[in-house]
Amino acid sequence: MRRSRRAAVAAAALLGLSLTAGANPARADRPGPHDVHPALWSHLVAFYDFDHPMPGDAALERDLGRSGTEIELVNGGAEMRVPDQAYKGSGNALQTRQVNPEAAGNDDWKAGTWSSSGVRTLRAFNGAEGATVMGWFKREMDGPALNSNTANPTDRYNAIGLAGVLTGDSDGHAVRALLELIDVNGELRLVALGRRLDGGASQTFAASEDWRNLLPKGEWVHLAATFDFTNGTMALYRNGEPVEGFYTTAGDPWKLSGPGPYVTSATDPRGIKIGGSFPQNTRENNPCDCRMDGLMFLDSVIPAGDIAKQYRYMAH
C-alpha cells in the first residue's frame, strides 16, 4: 500500500483515538496487554508485539499500549514479521536489516513513526520526569554495518540502533531516550543514551561488560534502559538484572544546575525509531541486522524490581 494510503489509515486511527480519549480518558488502572506485567500497565505508553497488523495495511503495526501510536514497518512491510518466539506466548518478531550497503539509498528495513509537528499520541514524553525503553533483542551481526552514506567502501557506522523515542525537534536521528550499541572511546558498547532538552547535549550510560557477552549472536536477550530526567541518572538491565556501567560525559549535559523542575522539553516527540534512524525514510543510518519483540515505551523510571518482574513474567 502506498504511503499516502498509510497516512490516511493513520489519520483515521488518530481521529478515532482522539474521540475516544475525549469521551473517556485512559485510566491508570485500565487492563493492559496480557504480555505486560500489571505493575507496568499505568506507565505503558506504547507496546508492540508484531502480531497485530493494522486493519487495511499490514505494513503498519498496532500499538497495544494506551497511546494508539501505530508504527510503520519501513521498506519491508509485512515481510518484516517473521515467526520467532522471543518469549513465552510470543508469535512473530520484527526483522530489521541493512539491504544494500554499497548504495546510498533508502531501502534498509527499520520501523517507527515520524512527524515534523510532533506525534501527539506520544505526549506522555512531553515535559516528562522519566522514561523507560525495553524489549527483546536478537542480534545477527558482528559489528556496525557498512556506511552507505560515504564513498569509502570500507567505512562503517559507529553505532547499531535498537529502539528509542525521538526529541521534539528531531530530524529522525536525535533522541530523548534510546537503547543502542555505540562506539565509546574506540569500543562498541551497549548504552542508554538520553537527552533532556531539545537541541541540548546528550548523556550516555555505557555498559562495562563486552557487548558480545551481553548480546550473544543468535540469542534472545531482554534489555531495558531507564532515564531519570529529574535526577540526571540512567540505568541498564539485562534479563531483569542491573548492568554495571559508567557515564561517558563529564559535567552537566542535561543542565540540571539551574532552576527546576527538571523535565524534558515541553514538546511532543517527533516519533519512535526502531532498528535504525530516520523512520521517515529519508536517510539510512545505524542499521541493525536484528530481530526484536515485545518493545515497550513507558513514561516513568520503572523500578528495578518491576523490570525483573516483567522479565520473569515473559520468560517463565
Side-chain angles (χ1 to χ4, degrees):
M1 184 175 289
R2 295 188 307 177
R3 188 174 294 271
S4 59
R5 169 61 178 148
R6 292 185 187 127
V9 171
L14 286 174
L15 177 60
L17 176 67
S18 64
L19 292 174
T20 302
N24 184 22
R27 293 171 46 187
D29 60 350
R30 64 183 289 276
H34 65 82
D35 289 337
V36 181
H37 192 281
L40 275 59
W41 285 352
S42 62
H43 301 291
L44 188 66
V45 178
F47 174 52
Y48 307 99
D49 67 0
F50 304 103
D51 294 323
H52 292 83
M54 289 292 291
D57 191 350
L60 294 176
E61 179 68 20
R62 179 184 166 197
D63 175 12
L64 302 181
R66 72 173 188 264
S67 76
T69 308
E70 65 269 14
I71 55 173
E72 182 176 354
L73 310 188
V74 180
N75 291 316
E79 293 182 20
M80 294 169 65
R81 293 187 190 89
V82 294
D84 194 350
Q85 281 206 322
Y87 56 91
K88 177 189 68 175
S90 71
N92 293 322
L94 174 72
Q95 175 74 60
T96 62
R97 64 184 178 90
Q98 186 175 49
V99 174
N100 187 358
E102 298 178 355
N106 292 309
D107 54 4
D108 286 355
W109 286 14
K110 53 193 172 185
T113 186
W114 186 85
S115 171
S116 61
S117 59
V119 178
R120 182 186 58 79
T121 53
L122 297 176
R123 188 156 292 173
F125 299 107
N126 175 325
E129 294 180 352
T132 299
V133 178
M134 73 172 79
W136 292 86
F137 302 89
K138 180 198 284 187
R139 75 169 174 102
E140 300 173 318
M141 58 200 307
D142 296 317
L146 290 169
N147 191 338
S148 60
N149 295 312
T150 66
N152 184 346
T154 63
D155 187 33
R156 292 184 178 272
Y157 294 105
N158 75 334
I160 301 170
L162 297 178
V165 178
L166 301 178
T167 60
D169 61 352
S170 179
D171 60 355
H173 181 66
V175 288
R176 204 162 272 178
L178 174 71
L179 258 173
E180 76 170 347
L181 297 152
I182 193 170
D183 184 287
V184 177
N185 299 324
E187 292 186 37
L188 198 67
R189 294 188 182 273
L190 173 68
V191 307
L193 189 152
R195 180 178 285 102
R196 186 175 75 86
L197 301 174
D198 289 353
S202 64
Q203 176 62 285
T204 300
F205 181 78
S208 299
E209 188 172 350
D210 192 301
W211 71 280
R212 290 160 293 197
N213 296 334
L214 295 171
L215 273 171
K217 190 174 182 180
E219 180 179 320
W220 281 109
V221 175
H222 186 262
L223 299 176
T226 62
F227 306 82
D228 187 333
F229 298 111
T230 297
N231 295 307
T233 59
M234 292 182 284
L236 285 167
Y237 299 84
R238 178 189 186 273
N239 289 347
E241 297 293 331
V243 174
E244 292 186 2
F246 58 94
Y247 293 99
T248 66
T249 303
D252 184 22
W254 284 1
K255 303 298 181 184
L256 301 179
S257 58
Y262 304 126
V263 296
T264 63
S265 293
T267 55
D268 296 341
R270 284 192 172 179
I272 288 171
K273 66 176 185 178
I274 299 167
S277 294
F278 303 99
Q280 71 271 42
N281 209 25
T282 56
R283 181 180 173 89
E284 296 174 350
N285 210 79
N286 300 339
C288 185
D289 289 352
C290 307
R291 292 186 176 183
M292 310 181 191
D293 203 359
L295 298 184
M296 303 182 190
F297 301 87
L298 305 105
D299 62 358
S300 70
V301 178
I302 302 301
D306 288 344
I307 290 175
K309 286 178 184 177
Q310 178 60 40
Y311 168 69
R312 292 194 298 266
Y313 187 74
M314 299 179 99
H316 302 293

